[in-house]
Amino acid sequence: MFKQQLDEFAAKHLTRRLTPLQSGVGPVVEMAGRQILLFASNDYLGLAMHPEVIRASVEATQRFGAGAGAARLVSGSLPSHQELESALAQFKGTEAALTFSSGYLANIGAIPALIGRNGLILADRLCHASLLDGCRLSAADFRIYRHNDTEQLQSLLAARRQARRTLIVTDGLFSMDGDLAPLPELSRLAQTYGADLYVDDAHGTGVMGAHGRGTAEHFGLEASIPFQMGTLSKAFGSSGAYLAGSSAVIQYLMNTSRSFIFTTAPAPGSAAAATAALRIVQREPERRARLWANRAQLFRGLTKLGFTLPPSVSPIIPILIGNADRALSFAEHLFAEGIYAPAIRPPTVPDATSRIRVTVTSEHSPSQIDQALASFQRAGQASKLI
Ligand SMILES: *Cc1c(COP(=O)(O)O)cnc(C)c1O
């Protein structure tokens, strides 16, 4: 049956394969023995390979070990985790923060803990898989609203049983489309209808807002979103995630969130790396300035070439293709040109919306972006997309 299922994936051009990578992530990587320009990582500020971040990771590893040994409630809570949580709470302007071993674990652990039986979850259709899985794991009823459709959300809120506990769940910056959630409107609806708002800011953290504090900062809503989740695995160049909120919320999650209680704490090296990355995010706003300048150059160039670009406003720039096989073939043409940008296909994105997901970082140089644009043009023409 596995073989048959795999054959079905293959027939629909939906087979997934790993592409071996022989170097750390950066603008240029070694793939399949070749030097390739990478437009695929979420290491938006180039911190995964930053010497200060690596040094912090090595020092914490030497001092506290390669692994944390157990869950923090079991074997004790290391300084690496405590320091990271204080730094995150300060950064996010909340009373407290709790770290998880990954963003996936944060979402599947926090959401079922925050809302359960008799509750109602309303989530955006394009929410990240980990949010949707968290919603499904909760004992609450779970409804999806159309992407960023605040009118539909309002009618779902208005139609629900009175005084029913409700959680609105959304990405801050959508991972496959690069657009923003209408947080001011979501926050207003949450207030009007007595609901709570849970924002996953995996891609906004470090990227959005004047100080990189995320989409909440971008919209001036830092004080009004009770549950702010973010990852340490994207712009922070490490791994792990956090939920920032009030002390009561954090204490409660520590007592009830299964993916916090029943999993080994993040490796001390990862936690220390994230703390070091956070320092750089705050100290070097020029990284964000370079990121946005690069993003503008790439978006302008791709627009001029005539690709179909959904309304992205971020370093995530999807080129919409439609068919999975055409998206794959375009990705292959790009790879032949020395560019790696992955074809994203269902079920990661809705049917018939296969795309090439292009991401740019602060570390790409303007000439690398020009070189990539020339390759996008040739590959786009060869694939008859432009
Ligand atoms: C990447 C991502 C996650 C998962 O984070 P990991 O740390 O990679 O597990 C969660 N939510 C969104 C929106 C993401 O893009």
Side-chain angles (χ1 to χ4, degrees):
M1 87 142 296
F2 300 123
K3 178 70 176 68
Q4 188 189 344
Q5 184 67 58
L6 285 168
D7 290 344
E8 277 171 36
F9 290 153
K12 294 182 189 151
H13 306 278
L14 295 177
T15 308
R16 292 164 188 243
R17 281 196 188 79
L18 293 169
T19 309
L21 176 67
Q22 283 95 21
S23 62
V25 289
V28 181
V29 294
E30 198 183 322
M31 264 182 176
R34 291 165 59 202
Q35 298 287 105
I36 298 287
L37 278 177
L38 185 71
F39 284 89
S41 94
N42 301 318
D43 180 27
Y44 299 113
L45 302 175
L47 296 179
M49 294 293 283
H50 193 288
E52 189 176 323
V53 175
I54 293 173
R55 199 176 328 116
S57 164
V58 170
E59 279 169 9
T61 302
Q62 280 170 337
R63 222 169 132 209
F64 301 114
R72 284 162 72 196
L73 292 168
V74 173
S75 63
S77 183
L78 286 166
S80 316
H81 301 124
Q82 301 294 143
E83 284 161 19
L84 175 57
E85 286 171 350
S86 323
L88 284 167
Q90 200 175 26
F91 176 63
K92 293 295 295 178
T94 56
E95 285 175 358
L98 187 66
T99 51
F100 290 81
S101 299
S102 78
Y104 191 95
L105 286 171
N107 285 333
I108 66 166
I111 294 171
L114 292 171
I115 187 158
R117 210 170 302 287
N118 300 323
L120 173 67
I121 302 175
L122 301 172
D124 189 289
R125 185 166 89 100
L126 295 189
C127 274
H128 189 263
S130 58
L131 286 172
L132 299 177
D133 289 356
C135 296
R136 288 192 195 103
L137 273 176
S138 164
D141 286 339
F142 170 33
R143 299 285 304 273
I144 299 251
Y145 59 88
R146 284 184 297 270
H147 179 50
N148 282 349
D149 187 338
T150 49
E151 276 179 30
Q152 190 191 9
L153 175 60
Q154 177 159 24
S155 55
L156 289 169
L157 285 164
R160 91 213 135 123
R161 261 201 332 271
Q162 278 252 301
R164 190 172 194 196
R165 263 210 70 209
T166 305
L167 187 67
I168 301 169
V169 172
T170 186
D171 288 25
L173 170 53
F174 286 87
S175 57
M176 294 299 141
D177 287 68
D179 59 340
L180 293 169
L183 291 187
E185 184 62 10
L186 294 181
S187 170
R188 198 187 61 76
L189 285 175
Q191 246 152 35
T192 308
Y193 289 92
D196 287 322
L197 183 56
Y198 183 107
V199 177
D200 172 342
D201 219 16
H203 295 276
T205 308
V207 169
M208 300 300 301
H211 303 89
R213 294 200 287 260
T215 50
E217 182 191 11
H218 171 80
F219 286 116
L221 291 168
E222 288 178 283
S224 38
I225 300 173
F227 309 126
Q228 302 189 50
M229 177 272 181
T231 61
L232 309 168
S233 49
K234 284 156 185 165
F236 285 11
S238 176
S239 70
Y242 64 86
L243 195 128
S246 68
S247 302
V249 163
I250 296 309
Q251 284 296 321
Y252 177 79
L253 285 176
M254 205 185 280
N255 280 273
T256 53
S257 178
R258 295 171 65 83
S259 67
F260 175 80
I261 299 171
F262 297 108
T263 201
T264 299
S270 303
T275 309
L278 177 53
R279 265 199 309 272
I280 299 170
V281 164
Q282 292 172 292
R283 188 183 72 207
E284 298 179 7
E286 59 272 22
R287 284 179 184 272
R288 246 180 330 279
R290 283 207 305 277
L291 170 65
W292 285 103
N294 286 346
R295 187 266 167 202
Q297 184 188 350
L298 185 59
F299 190 79
R300 210 182 313 115
L302 290 172
T303 305
K304 222 161 111 196
L305 289 174
F307 286 108
T308 307
L309 306 177
S312 147
V313 293
S314 73
I316 301 166
I317 307 177
I319 299 178
L320 193 63
I321 314 254
N323 287 346
D325 55 341
R326 289 192 79 199
L328 274 184
S329 136
F330 183 39
E332 279 160 21
H333 278 111
L334 285 171
F335 197 70
E337 290 274 345
I339 306 286
Y340 185 81
I344 306 285
R345 296 161 288 163
T348 306
V349 291
D351 279 341
T353 70
S354 286
R355 64 199 65 188
I356 298 293
R357 176 179 182 268
V358 185
T359 54
V360 68
T361 75
S362 60
E363 303 313 285
H364 290 98
S365 69
S367 69
Q368 286 169 334
I369 294 170
D370 279 338
Q371 186 191 329
L373 285 168
S375 297
F376 273 107
Q377 179 167 26
R378 285 189 295 269
Q381 286 164 347
S383 304
K384 300 201 166 30
L385 290 171
I386 53 174

